[in-house]
Amino acid sequence: MIQHMNLVFQAEGLSVGEGAFLMACCNHTDAKGYVIAHMQQIADEAHMSLRSARDQRARLEKRRLLKSGERFSPKNGAQLANLFRINLDLLASMKRKRTDYGPSLVEELTFDEGPAENPSSNPPAKSAAPPSTPPADLAPPLADLAPPPANLAGAGAAKSAPLLLPSSDPSSLPPRAGAAPAADASLRTAPVGERENEASPEGHNPSEAEVPQQRERSSKSAAAAGGRVVAAYAATLGRPVLNGTRAKLERQAVELLAQGLPEAWLCDRARELAARGWADLVQHAERSTAPIEQPREVPGAGRPGLPEWCGECGDGTGTAARLNPRFRKVGPEDARELCPRCHPNRVAAATA
């Protein structure tokens, strides 16, 4: 309690350690001076070690200013927080005598005697200068300041035209001077969706709304096939595939499937990849010499829109080069170039 702390401040004959210990105890006292606290807590609040706190407690007990007792749990015998009691009557009797510490700082403050300064005698502050005329480039145009023509309001109407709410549509802004008028006002005010409907009055969609659905089904099918390729990799690996490796293999599998490589062939390459402890399906597919079987493909005919394979590039990859332009390269391993006879990019550049 603050009253008990005040008794410690006014007490005479206490050492620094005794005063600090009593102050920490008075932080938890009740009206009769009882304290329930651990010795370590009292030591921390008194800013001293546990050993020093025990020494100060012994000195205060010897002076009959403090009495303590240990407490134990009746259930398991564990030690509980200590019980202290401060001798408030003895502590109050130790109050030091009133001491005159001399004049205080407030009593020594004086003011020079002299005529008081009249606030009203101060010259009035200069009034703020009126704002100067804004520059010509910042002033509003005269057309905006001029009142509307009288013929806009009609006979007997108000002097000013009705206030129009601003519109976020840039087409609703007034035309600039010299600009050509719009061809049709309805096209200027109609929303975007209505303009599209006007362009196709029968509601016919040129894309037939089937291309996005087809693309969605194709992407889902490719993702499912890529998942099966990764499943073949995980089955051979014999343990779960890490998320980063799984995402990389699925992305590579979808890319290779999009280039025309069959799913069964990629599954076999994925199994080989796992057996060797590798994790790059694209690189393994490029270097693989395993034949690619395409029973539904007509021999000699590549993918639609793909130039026919010349049969000389690809370093013996065979069907892979016929179906995938990625393999249509010539030259040594460290300086390979696109085949000038059958690679789509070189053929298109030659015919352009």
Side-chain angles (χ1 to χ4, degrees), residues 164-234:
L164 299 179
L165 295 178
S167 173
S168 60
D169 188 3
S171 61
S172 61
L173 299 176
R176 298 189 303 270
D184 189 359
S186 61
L187 295 179
R188 185 174 62 251
T189 58
V192 177
E194 295 181 4
R195 298 177 190 175
E196 295 176 354
N197 293 337
E198 291 176 1
S200 55
E202 298 180 358
H204 176 69
N205 186 4
S207 61
E208 297 296 334
E210 294 181 1
V211 175
Q213 297 178 2
Q214 293 176 357
R215 292 178 180 174
E216 183 178 359
R217 287 195 298 267
S218 177
S219 61
K220 290 182 178 179
S221 177
R228 289 190 291 268
V229 174
V230 177
Y233 177 88

Side-chain angles (χ1 to χ4, degrees), residues 241-325:
V241 184
L242 299 179
N243 293 335
T245 305
R246 177 181 295 275
K248 175 184 176 181
L249 290 176
E250 288 182 353
R251 182 176 64 255
Q252 292 181 344
V254 171
E255 177 184 354
L256 294 174
L257 288 170
Q259 294 178 2
L261 294 178
E263 178 183 341
W265 188 84
L266 286 177
C267 289
D268 294 339
R269 305 291 78 77
R271 296 186 185 97
E272 296 174 357
L273 201 68
R276 300 176 184 179
W278 299 342
D280 195 330
L281 185 59
V282 172
Q283 185 177 3
H284 184 59
E286 287 182 350
R287 297 180 179 180
S288 177
T289 57
I292 301 177
E293 297 181 0
Q294 292 283 359
R296 296 185 179 181
E297 294 287 345
V298 178
R303 287 161 38 196
L306 184 65
E308 186 177 355
W309 180 44
C310 65
E312 299 180 3
C313 61
D315 293 339
T317 53
T319 311
R322 179 175 61 83
L323 297 175
N324 189 354

